[in-house]
Amino acid sequence: MTSEAALIEAARKGSAAAFAELVGAYRGGLLRFLLTRSASFADAEDALQDTLINAYRYLHSYNPQWRFSTWLYRIAINTALDTLKRAGRN
């Protein structure tokens, strides 16, 4: 088993496989978390996908001083809020 820090470093260097392994452990918890903050299951799934895309896109901004899970869940919260705002505009 590879350490989380090693997976983060490999993902930062462009390894999609390392990123997939890294977030695999969080996927179920993130979906449950987003379900409590979304209007529907479909919205929660969309927010999860957007969360993971944003995490991959902004992985370079992650500060290892903080827990990775805290950083990832902060992205999830922001994504859920954005999804709710968009839904309110329709």
Side-chain angles (χ1 to χ4, degrees):
M1 178 174 207
T2 307
S3 75
E4 186 171 90
L7 289 171
I8 291 167
E9 188 58 33
R12 280 181 159 175
K13 292 178 181 177
S15 172
F19 183 76
E21 186 176 341
L22 181 64
V23 299
Y26 295 101
R27 187 183 263 311
L30 280 170
L31 181 58
R32 285 188 299 278
F33 178 78
L34 290 166
L35 279 167
T36 65
R37 288 156 179 80
S38 300
S40 69
F41 187 80
D43 286 347
E45 286 181 318
D46 289 346
L48 175 61
Q49 181 150 346
D50 290 345
T51 296
L52 298 178
I53 289 168
N54 286 330
Y56 189 74
R57 182 179 296 150
Y58 297 108
L59 191 57
H60 67 278
S61 72
Y62 168 69
N63 183 345
Q65 175 183 359
W66 310 108
R67 290 177 53 180
F68 181 75
S69 60
T70 302
W71 179 79
L72 189 58
Y73 275 79
R74 173 50 35 196
I75 293 172
I77 289 168
N78 292 341
T79 301
L81 291 173
D82 289 345
T83 301
L84 288 173
K85 286 178 192 174
R86 281 194 308 265
R89 290 186 188 149
N90 292 335

